[in-house]
Structure formats: C-alpha cells, structure tokens
Amino acid sequence: MKKMKLTALVLGTMTAGLFAFTAIDTGSIKGTVSPAEGAVQAWALSASDTLKAPINNGAFSIDNVKPGDYRLIIEAKPPYKNQAKEGVSVKDGAPTDVGEIKLEK
C-alpha cells in the first residue's frame, strides 16, 4: 500500500512538472522596406525585449519574438529618415507581416 501511494505521488509530481515547463512559442515580424537600399536594420522594441535583424534587398525578418506588442523601427541610411510603426502585435508561433514600409527623405 505504501509503495502504491509513493508511486502515485511520484507520477503526480512528474505530471505537474511537465505543465510547469511548457515552452513559449515564439513568432516573427516580417516586412519590406522601400527603397531597398535606404535601410540598414529593423528593430523590435517592447517593455522587456529589444531585437534586431538586418535588412537585405529590402526585406527583413526578426525571428524568435515573444508574444506581445512591439514598436518597430526601421534604421535608415542618410538621406532617408528612420521610420517607426507602433502596436505591432505578435501572437504565439505566428509570423506578423507588417507589409511595406516606405522611407522618407
């Protein structure tokens, strides 16, 4: 009887441990920049995270983004100005496409 209770306790503890360490599915932020040669990198900022990715041929993808709301900043090369997009929302395991961001001089 003691052995059955101990086995049940161990199995219950192991099952609870599995739920306590559930992995967070990260998403991504993707988009394009126009003109393609006018931008250097893309930044995603939140209250607890700062992520960046290079812009290649006018396209960017910021990967491993935790779910939440971000401010996206496109770092531009002179004579273009940096551009910002507020309220970029990332969901569990899903890509967020912000579309085309046009740089201004």
Side-chain angles (χ1 to χ4, degrees), residues 18-83:
L18 289 175
F19 290 108
F21 295 106
T22 303
I24 296 174
D25 286 335
T26 58
S28 62
I29 301 172
K30 301 175 185 226
T32 59
V33 178
S34 174
E37 70 280 355
V40 179
Q41 56 189 353
W43 294 81
L45 310 171
S46 75
S48 61
D49 260 340
T50 300
L51 305 162
K52 67 179 179 175
I55 298 175
N56 295 314
N57 298 319
F60 66 90
S61 178
I62 304 172
D63 299 318
N64 297 317
V65 182
K66 294 177 189 170
D69 292 327
Y70 290 81
R71 179 175 195 226
L72 178 67
I73 298 173
I74 302 300
E75 185 179 338
K77 295 178 191 175
Y80 296 100
K81 297 178 185 175
N82 293 350
Q83 293 294 316

Side-chain angles (χ1 to χ4, degrees), residues 28-29 67-70 86-91 94-98:
S28 62
I29 301 172
D69 292 327
Y70 290 81
E86 303 290 336
V88 176
S89 184
V90 176
K91 307 289 185 213
T96 299
D97 190 343
V98 296

